[in-house]
Amino acid sequence: MGIIKDRFKAQADKIAAEIKDLLKEHGNKKIGEVNLSQIYQGMRGMTGLVSETSLLDAQEGIRFRGYSIPELQKKLPKAPKGTEPLPEGLFHLMLIGELPTEEDVHHITSTWQRRSHVPNHVFAAIEALPVATHPMTQFVIAIMALQTESQFSKRYAEGMNKKDYWEAVFDDTMDLIARLPRVAAYIYRRKYKKEDHIHPNGLLDWAGNFAHMLGYEDETFKELMRLYMTIHADHEGGNVSAHTTHLVGSALSDPYLSFAAGMNGLAGPLHGLANQEVIKWILEMRSALDTELPSKEQIADYVQKTLNEGKVVPGYGHAVLRKTDPRFTAQMEFGKKHLPDDPLVQTVWNIYETVPPILQSLGKIKNPWPNVDAHSGALLVHFGLVEYEFYTVLFGVSRALGVLSSLCWDRALGFPIERPKSVTTELVNLWLEGKAEIWGD
Ligand code: CMX
């Protein structure tokens, strides 16, 4: 086995034994109470999942295996002369639970380079779609076309022992992550650069090579990609893309099928697609007001207009967070360091000063603060990546790191098929009248 695989297996065996003891002693302990409103309102605040790779605190934001984003920016290995963390390092941390050495990160980079070959039929599947097809649809179809390569599905068909599931999921995880930048860059160059494709550069790190294949050689853009791929990777287990990948994987659908399902969820405008919606909204505002740098008063009026039209202000609000998203802050710091005079970036900052009090004044929005998607587009536009329909694909490539390392854990810990109980409103009414029982009550 490879070094990373051995370490993962050792770690998984240790944690599986710990969980066994924990459940033996505390398995009947109550973990929260479920209210009727929670089952009608998106299961908000209900603890119902285990996801080892990261944990979200409503006030503080995301921690990956205990480390905040600023801590990761200090502690994870960097590219030569770089200052942003390499996503390979975050993958190691999420998968194994320990900070990697430079050598570990180098090992992951070269493993992913070695495993990055994309078969021709995947490109043919993309080519079969009209160019106008949304990049997220093309991305999901390409992942589905790649499913022919799944080790898990092959080995399952050959009668694999359930003790080996983790290993086949691990192999698919490494292959899939290795291949995604090539697939995503192919979609981008096909749709926006007249099929002028760029070969991978085997000397670059995973995110640096992705930037290169997209057509960007600027070192600051490569640094942005490393930061972007790190901060979008995981947001604990309950968000739509992570939960969907986990849910579909629980049926022993292989990692390609599971990840494609998760990506369909990421493509929703209340989730990952919000990154394209934000920039679209800002560009529309600029054109409606006929100015590159709208004043805060103009922004406030435009926000009001958006709300009056029954639409959400994209990039603001969150189902769990109750403060400014540290992923927003990390991007704001990047902007301050590298492009403080960019009018679009300044507009994002002016929106940040304007929107929260307006949303707060409505009295119903639980979190008026910006999330990760409020900032990302403005940084990308600065470097010339203006094709905002592609932004969610970038998010998806990064999200693979978290949801697939979580899937390795799901199979290593032998989690069963997910199957919560549902009820009908008729049953709820009968239960409220004391005429029926609800299972588990
Ligand atoms: N603009 C306007 N209204 C908003 C709002 C926003 N940014 N955020 C929440 N609301 C509204 C909700 O639509 C809801 O209205 P109704 O009661 O009329 O249905 C009300 O405020 C209460 O919502 P909430 O409990 O505060 O928020 P939810 O947990 O239901 O939803 C989220 C969370 C992110 C879907 C929501 O804040 C939203 O739609 N934001 C805009 C889209 C966005 O930025 N999504 C990206 C999230 C990050 C990611 O996954 O990438």
Side-chain angles (χ1 to χ4, degrees), residues 41 44 232 235 239-241 266 268-275 277-278 306-307 311-320 322 325 327 355 359 362 364-369 371-374 395 399:
Q41 292 168 348
R44 233 35 120 254
H232 286 80
H235 218 223
N239 65 78
V240 171
S241 51
L266 194 75
L270 295 189
H271 190 19
L273 202 84
N275 60 8
E277 295 300 290
V278 166
T306 303
L307 294 171
K311 298 190 240 173
V312 294
V313 179
Y316 281 76
H318 200 272
V320 179
R322 293 296 175 257
D325 189 335
R327 301 172 298 173
V355 167
L359 293 184
L362 298 179
K364 66 169 184 179
I365 297 174
K366 295 193 192 65
N367 178 36
W369 302 105
N371 58 58
V372 66
D373 300 314
F395 194 157
R399 192 39 66 100

Side-chain angles (χ1 to χ4, degrees), residues 389-408:
E389 281 199 344
F390 186 73
Y391 292 173
T392 313
V393 176
L394 294 176
F395 194 157
V397 173
S398 167
R399 192 39 66 100
L401 302 175
V403 300
L404 291 173
S405 40
S406 266
L407 204 61
C408 290

Side-chain angles (χ1 to χ4, degrees), residues 56-57 113 152 163 188 193 216 232-233 313 326 335 367 382 405:
L56 182 57
D57 180 89
Q113 278 165 354
F152 186 91
K163 288 198 181 69
Y188 179 72
K193 304 291 169 185
Y216 295 87
H232 286 80
V313 179
N367 178 36
H382 177 87
S405 40

Side-chain angles (χ1 to χ4, degrees), residues 55-73:
L55 190 63
L56 182 57
D57 180 89
Q59 303 300 323
E60 207 199 4
I62 192 67
R63 278 185 180 266
F64 302 86
R65 297 284 193 174
Y67 294 98
S68 68
I69 289 171
E71 283 166 357
L72 292 182
Q73 283 173 303

Side-chain angles (χ1 to χ4, degrees), residues 79-367:
K81 296 196 196 136
T83 55
E84 298 301 342
L86 286 168
E88 287 90 328
L90 176 67
F91 176 76
H92 182 287
L93 177 66
M94 287 191 293
L95 184 77
I96 297 178
E98 289 164 9
L99 285 170
T101 61
E102 298 269 346
E103 209 185 339
D104 291 330
V105 161
H106 190 257
H107 173 77
I108 295 174
T109 301
S110 51
T111 304
W112 286 351
Q113 278 165 354
R114 220 177 39 249
R115 299 169 86 139
S116 63
H117 173 74
V118 175
N120 280 337
H121 74 266
V122 175
F123 300 127
I126 298 170
E127 294 291 345
L129 298 166
V131 177
T133 309
H134 193 281
M136 272 310 272
T137 310
Q138 300 196 35
F139 189 50
V140 169
I141 285 169
I143 298 161
M144 292 301 297
L146 261 178
Q147 191 267 347
T148 51
E149 310 308 295
S150 171
Q151 298 292 323
F152 186 91
S153 72
K154 250 174 240 148
R155 290 182 60 186
Y156 192 88
E158 287 161 8
M160 166 170 56
N161 187 310
K162 58 163 77 168
K163 288 198 181 69
D164 298 330
Y165 289 169
W166 74 270
E167 191 179 11
V169 168
F170 178 92
D171 284 336
D172 279 355
T173 290
M174 296 303 262
D175 287 343
L176 184 47
I177 293 174
R179 289 161 165 159
L180 287 175
R182 177 94 171 97
V183 167
Y186 189 92
I187 293 166
Y188 179 72
R189 303 289 304 180
R190 171 187 187 233
K191 190 168 165 76
Y192 303 113
K193 304 291 169 185
K194 301 195 175 91
E195 297 269 8
D196 183 12
H197 297 293
I198 298 171
H199 285 293
N201 177 346
L203 298 174
L204 288 171
D205 54 283
W206 184 73
N209 186 36
F210 186 23
H212 157 76
M213 288 188 289
L214 289 170
Y216 295 87
E217 297 307 342
D218 184 313
E219 279 311 312
T220 315
F221 183 81
K222 286 189 182 140
E223 281 291 275
L224 174 62
M225 266 305 102
R226 291 170 190 131
L227 175 67
Y228 189 112
M229 292 293 132
T230 299
I231 62 177
H232 286 80
D234 209 30
H235 218 223
E236 76 169 30
N239 65 78
V240 171
S241 51
H243 188 187
T244 307
T245 307
H246 162 83
L247 167 68
V248 175
S250 84
L252 298 185
S253 305
D254 66 57
Y256 293 83
L257 298 171
S258 309
F259 180 61
M263 289 301 98
N264 280 307
L266 194 75
L270 295 189
H271 190 19
L273 202 84
N275 60 8
Q276 88 164 41
E277 295 300 290
V278 166
I279 218 68
K280 185 166 166 261
W281 182 79
I282 298 177
L283 295 178
E284 281 168 5
M285 168 169 69
R286 293 207 316 187
S287 110
L289 300 170
D290 198 20
T291 169
E292 224 189 14
L293 197 58
S295 67
K296 289 180 193 158
E297 291 70 32
Q298 286 176 310
I299 293 171
D301 288 346
Y302 198 79
V303 168
Q304 209 53 63
K305 176 176 168 296
T306 303
L307 294 171
N308 292 345
E309 287 167 357
K311 298 190 240 173
V312 294
V313 179
Y316 281 76
H318 200 272
V320 179
L321 269 171
R322 293 296 175 257
K323 286 268 166 70
T324 297
D325 189 335
R327 301 172 298 173
F328 176 91
T329 312
Q331 296 178 89
M332 189 159 81
E333 295 303 322
F334 187 96
K336 282 184 190 160
K337 186 170 161 192
H338 297 286
L339 34 133
D341 300 325
D342 184 295
L344 192 61
V345 171
Q346 287 178 351
T347 301
V348 166
W349 299 343
N350 287 338
I351 293 170
Y352 180 32
E353 287 182 28
T354 314
V355 167
I358 301 177
L359 293 184
Q360 218 146 20
S361 72
L362 298 179
K364 66 169 184 179
I365 297 174
K366 295 193 192 65
N367 178 36

